[in-house]
Each structure stands twice: as C-alpha cells, then as structure tokens.
Amino acid sequence: MPPFDVGNGPGAVSKETILTAVSLASVGPFGDASVLEVAQRIRRRETTALEVTEQSLEAVNEYGTELNCFITVDPEGARRAARDADRELALGHDLGPLHGIPVGVKDLMATSGLRTTMGSRHFAHHVPDADADAVMLLRRSGAVILGKTHTHEFAFGPTGDRAFTGPALNPLDTSRVTGGSSSGSAAAVAAGLVPIALGSDAAGSVRIPGALCGVVGLRPTAGLVSVEGVFPLSHSLDVVSPLARAVSDTAVAWWALSTKSTQEGIRRPIWSPSLLPEPGRAAQLRISEVKCDLTERVASSTQVEALQFAIETLTDSGASMSETCIPEVDECAQPHQNILFAEAYAIHETRVKSAPELFDPEILNQLSVASEVRGWEYVQAQQTRARLRRQALERLSVVDVLILPTVPIEAPLIGQRTLADKAGWTTVREALKSFTVPWSLLDLPAISVPVLVHGAKMPGSVQLVGKPGEEQKLLDTAAALEKAVTRLNATSSPYVQRTL
Amino acid sequence: MPPFDVGNGPGAVSKETILTAVSLASVGPFGDASVLEVAQRIRRRETTALEVTEQSLEAVNEYGTELNCFITVDPEGARRAARDADRELALGHDLGPLHGIPVGVKDLMATSGLRTTMGSRHFAHHVPDADADAVMLLRRSGAVILGKTHTHEFAFGPTGDRAFTGPALNPLDTSRVTGGSSSGSAAAVAAGLVPIALGSDAAGSVRIPGALCGVVGLRPTAGLVSVEGVFPLSHSLDVVSPLARAVSDTAVAWWALSTKSTQEGIRRPIWSPSLLPEPGRAAQLRISEVKCDLTERVASSTQVEALQFAIETLTDSGASMSETCIPEVDECAQPHQNILFAEAYAIHETRVKSAPELFDPEILNQLSVASEVRGWEYVQAQQTRARLRRQALERLSVVDVLILPTVPIEAPLIGQRTLADKAGWTTVREALKSFTVPWSLLDLPAISVPVLVHGAKMPGSVQLVGKPGEEQKLLDTAAALEKAVTRLNATSSPYVQRTL
C-alpha cells in the first residue's frame, strides 16, 4: 500500500505520481498495520511471530538494502527470538503488545553478540557482550530485534548521509536524506519494514528523521529511559527515543522503555490498553503556539501548512489554543552547540589522535571544530542552560503543550550541505536542527508528528513540546492530530495523509 | 606571648631569636586565649563583648595594619554588634560560645552594608546589600564581624601576595607570604587578632595559609556549608572553610557554619560541649599515611619532621596506623587545574574583556592561560574526577583518616615565584597547592593542623583527610595531635609548639 492516500481536493495529484516519488514508503508488512493489530492477529492465531518476522526479514532484504537503512541484519537471532515468542505465547505467557513484534535498533546501541558499529569504521567489527538497557527492556517485552539500523557516523550529524556504509535513503524520495542521526530507524519505520525502531536524540536525532520520513519520533524527558549501553554523543543531552509509524505504536514503545521508581524498586507498569493515547483528552489541554524569532523562519510552505492544519484541528477539537512568546528559544543554539561539541570531542579525542583516518572526513572536520570550544564557554553554556530552563518552565506554568514545526525545511538531497532560502538558512545542518535543539537544551519532552499536506511531495510535520515527565499529554495530543488527519483524508479533504 | 615556647632540647634557639623572626605572631588578645575561655570570661562578667572587641580593634589597628591582613575594618559595626551581644546576654539570651566574639571574614564574602572587594580594583567600592549565608550564620551565633580580611585577588592564587591593597605578611616572618588565597584570615588568626576567621578553599585556600601561618584550617565536605554570597572562584570546587587558632575553636566555627536537613527543615544543632573534639576518640580510629609519588616530594625537612611526629604521636595514642597507597592522588593536578581554570575564566570573561587594566597583571596573565583550557578537557576532567573519587572512596573503605603533609615546602618570600629544590618543585604555585588539590578534586574533607618542629623557624603542619561528612573524626584526630604537641612542649621535648 502506498504511503499516502491521495485526496481529491483541488490540486490533488494522481496516486501514480505519488507512487513514483515515494516508491519505497510503506512497502513492508507494517506499511498498513499497527503493532496492536498485528499483536491481535498473532493472538487470534491468524499469524505467528515467526511468520511476521519472516515477512519483515524479507522486506528488509528486498527494500532495506536499497534504502541502506540497516547496517547489520540478524536473521538467525530474529528467527530464534520469534520462535521463543511463539512458544511463550503458546504456554500462556503474554508479555504485552510487543511480544513477537520485529523492531529495529539504532546501531549506536549495544546488542549482545550482535555487531554494533556506531556507523563508523572504528567499530566495524565491534561485537558487544551485553545489551544496552533500552535493548534489554525491548527484549523483556518480547520484541524481536531484527537488526541494527543505520546511524549517521557516531550520531554526529542531522542528515543521515554519512556513515562507513554510505548514506541512508529517504523512502519517500530516495534522492533525499532521511534526516539523522537515527536515519535507518526512521527509514525502516517509514518503509513499514518494522513498526517501531529505537533511536537516540541529543539535538533532534529522532525528531528530525521522524519529520523528514513522515513518522512519529518521541524525545522523552532525560533520565526516564536509561542511556546505559548507548554510545554517547553528548552525555548531558543524549536521550533514548523511539520512532514509530502510529502514535499508538509510539505509546507502546514508550511503555516498554520507561520505568518508574516504586517502593519495590524500579518497575515497568503492566501493559494495559489504558496506557494508549486518548485523542479525546487533548480537548482538555491548554495548547500554545510558540512565538519567537526562530518560528518566523519556516522556509517550507509544507511545514507552514502542516502547522496551520494542526492548530486548526486542535482548536476544533475543543482544546484551548493560545500563543506564547518564548524568547529563550532564540538563545539556545549557541549553548547547545558548545555543550554538544565539548562533550562529543571529549568522547572522541583518543580516536582522533590515534586513528583519524578511520573517521569520515566530514565527521573528522566537525570534531576538529568541536575541539576548539573553550572550557569557559562550556561552563557558561551549562549555566545559561540552567537559566533558560528556569525561565522557560515559568512561561510553561499556564500551558500544557507547545506547538511549533519540527523542521523549517523539507528533506534536502543526499550530500546537500548548503541552502539559500527566503528564511535565511544557509546550511542544512543549522536549519535541520534549529527547531529541535531548544527542547533538548531545555530538557523538555517533545514529539514530532507527521501532518501530511495536500499536494506536497514530502511530508509536513509538527512538534509538540510538554513539561518534564508529561509525555502522556504529548501522546494524547499527537493522537488527536493523527485522528483528524485520518478523518479528513477519509472525507476527501485537501490534506493528504499516511494510512495507519 | 610569643607564638612558640622554645624547647630546651638539642639545638634549641633562644626565645629572643624566635621573637625577632616572628614578632607579630600571637600579639593580639587571642594570642593566648581560646574562644571558650573568652566566652567563659564574658559570662563570668570578667570582661564584656565590647571590651574584647575593643581589644581586637586596637590590635588590628596596631598590628593588622603592619601585616596588611585586613582590607576593611568596621569599628562601628563591630562595636554595635558587641553592644548588642552584651545586651542580649544580659537579658539571658545566650547564642552559644561565639556570642560576642570578634571574627574576621575573607573579603570574598558578601557583608551587608560593608565593602567587599574580592581583593580587586574591580570591586574597590562594592558594598553588598546582603550577607553571604556563612556570614549570616556567624551573626546568628552572636559573632562580631570585625572586618574583611585580605584575599589573594579574586582568590586566584595560593600565595596571598597579590591584591589591590598589596601583599599580606606572614606574622611569623613578615618577609614571607601568608599563603592564600585566605591570606588575611590566616594572618589575623595567627597574630591573635581574632580567634576565628572565615576563608574559602577551592585548591587549598584555607589549608595552605593555615599551614604557612601555623593555624588550623578546615576544608569541609562540599555542600555542608552554603557558598551563597561567596564570590566564586570555581563553582564545582569552592567550599566555605574556617581558620582558627585552636582545634576547639575550629570545632566552634564548624558548629556555627554547618547545618543539617531535618524533618523540620534546615537546622543547626543547639550548642553543646559534647560537640567539642575529643582527643581520646582518635585512639579508636584507623589512621593511614598516604603513599604515592607525590608524598615522596616533600622538600622541607620541617614538614618531614612534622609528619613523623604526628604519626608517632597518633601511634602512641593507640590509634591503628597503616600506610595506604593511593595512586589516584598523583592524577589529580591536571583535572583540578582544568576544572578550576575553565570555571574561573567563565566567571571573569566579561571583566577581562571590558576592563583588563583593573586586574593585577599576574592575575590577568593567569586568566589568559585559564581561557585556553578546551571544553573537551573540562568535560574529561569532570569525568576523571568522578572516576578518581570512586576509586579513592573504595580505598578509604578500611581507613578513617588519612595523614600527609599540607604543603611540601615552607612559606616562600613575598613575590617569590620559582623554586629549585631537591624534590623537583620549580614553581611556588605548583608546590604550594600540590598536597591540598587532590582532596578538593576528590571532595574529601581535610584539615591542616600545625605541628611545630623544634628549631625550625617556620611552622610545620600535617593534613588529615576524612571520608565525606566525617569532619568530626578529623577534629578529634587534630585535637589528639594538638594535645600531644602541648604535652611534649610542657616536658621540654625536642618539638616546639604554639601555646594554646
């Protein structure tokens, strides 16, 4: 099934036109099925975990290779895990909706016995002997790890077109980047090869590829998901973050990854459908459009229309809608870069000195720039960060969810590095991360939700931002948006959407 | 009374010789009286807070000026506080042993309505409108703030001879430095002008001048005394730290400054003599001499003898004595410097750019060097710090108190910057802070205790280091040392000591 149903409104393009442009979107077995649907089919014995896994492996083999979205596929491990899942279910031991569902894991996260390369020649033959915590949590919920997805080398870039295995391709248009650094996870999900994939996000590394590939990307509040076993880009910014096709699938992943401290120790709640997002609850929320210098700089009309649609939809749904001026957002870019650069170079210093030739030249050059940040600039950046966060949290006291674009542009071409647009963006790197970086620095949870715009070749998206720990409100609001997009599409609206 | 009683052992020098060399030590009213003694005299109506304050003011006027150990004296404020103290005591409201006792405050700590210069032209006319927390705590315990003591400019140096008001002079030999940065506090206490003075310590700024001036300097565990209102040198290393003549006076200061979180909120315990150090308790402690490359580099035979005497004394007292190899100590200097430099420059960046001419040239040059530390070096330094601390705490699991010298040399001459000694020290700065820096980086409480050596012109000292929060064990051990020094002196031992 193609990724979009094409609306019949004015200016609608033919289904054929879209298919040509986006030929590898939604081609996999999860192109038209959510985790919960597949989970039900498994439990109704209409299929098995092994059969689903074989379908995913086949799709990965056929399309994943073309998209270059997996660095390592693990057919044997996946089949073994799927067989185990089937046996366990047959014995009546149900681990929840992810039981028997194939997923992808960003190749920055350690997988026991399975090669983990960080997208770099430095680790081309690296096989960890333990799982990252997040991987372990997925396994404990019964998920089948299909393989390791493409990452921008060492996660140090927002485009997803630099790794020792070459660039990942955007399933919606294979001449374009996926966005990064969780490039392969976004592409694999957008292509429907897996319903969920793990990413990580320090500057926007799940939200950016989520936006460019038309899938959901959630950056949770720092500290709620363990980063143990994830190769660091920036210790004080890294967060493990899931990508998924549907908002409900994102919620399932969020359930599997997040744990809470209880009196009995660290626990994950037992799965219950009540954990699913409820679009109706968005009507009770105070939603506010972010206004600042940055939000004036949206270069893509698709992104402008997506935001407009989202605001109208949420207003129609009964949510209280306002505008909030948050000047702090305009001050985030420099401190974020100083923190990320200093921490990233601290991680790579030894490698830069001992084996510089193993780095991609662009990454090596970027590291050389990163090495120049001064200690006092880093210290000031952390102090600025604390001040901006305090101020922003004060402004958020009367708001539940902020809304703004995820990115100001559409997916650039592979290898493209410069821009010349009316919004004043000159580099792809700067533009791509400009709208996601502030929430990383302020440590507020944020989700990118695809909002596909009529007639647009590439997907639009919006970013919802919440208060620390209020991921549920983001999921509820995202679900309301998703529902509206689906409904409008069903009634031949001018908005084109992805079928869920 | 002179600072030392001269022993009659072999090689003893005449009292006159010592007096010539150390003419300004112990000259003030607290030269031979502890806080508790004066407190008793006040309560027995043998004197009043006002009378004691007048005596201190007179001594400050006469000797403090020569020693250059006060930047600002506040006779009116002190008399007012002393009168209030007398009135309160007359009404039966007793705030504890510091009630009515004159103290000095390092001129890096804000005093409401009283000039606070940081030893710098930048703040030559700066009058804060609120007290630093530590100052407020002293006032709440009835202490009389006599004035603001000399500090090395912005606390950025271990010698105490650079400030816009000129160098502070060592009361034991006015051609020598006091050590710094809490230079004036150490000098004022050593001269007996006040029994207690506040300092701060990021690299050794109370322990070094304590050692060079022959008084007690305690660096508590970070976080136990608020640094609010203290002009920062290095946010992650600064600790408010008292200097005092006697160990019991140090304990009184520690009581006044430290607070504990209780169910009813932040509280200071009510004063009780049971808070005083108990030399006898040292016999129950496991004390261990630090062994590492650094401790091989003691250049001063006085410091070697002081350590030897302290170890013999504690062994004789019944304490379990061992040696502990702590190689982490040898790795502390570079990360400590990178952290301190980056944080210090972050604080002064604007001033360096807007008004460089107001800095002392040596400080400005040091800041210029500090600005060069790279962000990644700072990040690695903080990571190294965490690792070294973990490792050191493990080694401390079978030890209560570590012992080593406070400094490897004796007080250099004022203005002296280079060394050429058999231990390989080439710069005064490096040598002075070498033995104190490790415990700042590892955030372990440490106390410098004077152990005055027979025939030596300048005092010896040892440093005791404890586990986080175990200041009491340090005070008990220091009291045992102090008691032994006093006893030996009384029986004409080869060790010369300060009379308490």
Side-chain angles (χ1 to χ4, degrees), chain A residues 244-286:
Chain A
R245 292 185 62 79
V247 176
S248 65
D249 290 359
T250 312
V252 168
W254 174 236
W255 159 77
L257 292 171
S258 62
T259 51
K260 281 190 179 170
S261 291
T262 70
Q263 286 194 321
E264 289 80 39
I266 305 286
R267 289 291 156 86
R268 180 168 61 196
I270 306 226
W271 168 258
S272 143
S274 71
L275 293 168
L276 284 172
E278 179 45 69
R281 282 200 291 255
Q284 272 92 59
L285 297 177
R286 297 164 300 176

Side-chain angles (χ1 to χ4, degrees), chain B residues 35 98 101-105 138 185 189 194-198 242-245 249-250 252-253:
Chain B
V35 167
L98 275 178
I101 302 292
V103 300
V105 172
L138 283 189
S185 287
V189 167
V194 287
I196 289 171
L198 284 190
L243 286 141
R245 291 184 64 78
D249 290 359
T250 313
V252 168

Side-chain angles (χ1 to χ4, degrees), chain B residues 235-419:
Chain B
H235 287 100
S236 71
L237 292 163
D238 289 339
V239 175
V240 169
S241 311
L243 286 141
R245 291 184 64 78
V247 176
S248 65
D249 290 359
T250 313
V252 168
W254 174 236
W255 159 76
L257 292 172
S258 61
T259 50
K260 281 190 179 169
S261 291
T262 69
Q263 288 194 322
E264 289 80 39
I266 305 287
R267 288 290 155 85
R268 179 169 62 196
I270 306 231
W271 169 257
S272 145
S274 70
L275 294 169
L276 285 173
E278 178 46 67
R281 281 199 292 254
Q284 272 92 59
L285 298 177
R286 297 164 299 177
I287 302 175
S288 197
E289 186 186 355
V290 176
K291 287 290 182 187
C292 57
D293 291 349
L294 184 69
T295 53
E296 299 297 313
R297 298 183 62 193
V298 185
S300 153
S301 59
T302 303
Q303 306 298 4
V304 171
E305 284 185 49
L307 180 66
Q308 196 184 328
F309 167 74
I311 289 172
E312 283 168 15
T313 297
L314 293 168
T315 307
D316 291 349
S317 80
S320 136
M321 183 64 66
S322 64
E323 293 183 352
T324 304
C325 174
I326 313 188
E328 290 77 21
V329 167
D330 296 319
E331 295 181 58
C332 288
Q334 192 63 58
H336 180 278
Q337 176 162 304
N338 285 348
I339 291 170
L340 191 143
F341 274 15
E343 295 185 352
Y345 193 82
I347 292 154
H348 291 293
E349 180 230 345
T350 316
R351 266 178 296 278
V352 169
K353 287 173 179 160
S354 66
E357 72 284 359
L358 296 183
F359 285 99
D360 175 281
E362 188 176 272
I363 304 291
L364 188 63
N365 180 61
Q366 195 68 3
L367 281 168
S368 155
V369 175
S371 74
E372 291 299 316
V373 172
R374 293 302 195 272
W376 63 270
E377 290 176 311
Y378 177 86
V379 170
Q380 286 186 347
Q382 289 285 19
Q383 289 164 349
T384 302
R385 181 184 195 183
R387 172 178 61 80
L388 294 176
R389 183 169 149 85
R390 250 192 333 269
Q391 293 171 356
L393 283 174
E394 242 168 71
R395 292 184 199 278
L396 274 167
S397 62
V398 293
V399 174
D400 295 308
V401 172
L402 296 171
I403 186 167
L404 75 165
T406 310
V407 285
I409 59 174
E410 287 163 38
L413 298 174
I414 284 166
Q416 183 184 346
R417 290 296 179 263
T418 56
L419 294 168

Side-chain angles (χ1 to χ4, degrees), chain A residues 324-348:
Chain A
T324 304
C325 174
I326 312 187
E328 289 78 20
V329 167
D330 296 320
E331 294 182 58
C332 288
Q334 192 63 57
H336 181 278
Q337 176 162 304
N338 284 349
I339 291 170
L340 190 142
F341 274 16
E343 296 185 351
Y345 193 81
I347 292 154
H348 292 292

Side-chain angles (χ1 to χ4, degrees), chain A residues 461-497:
Chain A
S461 65
V462 296
Q463 187 178 197
L464 306 170
V465 178
K467 287 187 242 190
E470 297 196 347
E471 283 77 7
Q472 192 59 51
K473 287 183 182 165
L474 297 185
L475 290 166
D476 288 340
T477 312
L481 278 179
E482 183 183 66
K483 188 179 167 191
V485 169
T486 310
R487 181 170 38 80
L488 280 166
N489 181 60
T491 57
S492 307
S493 85
Y495 295 99
V496 182
Q497 61 109 39

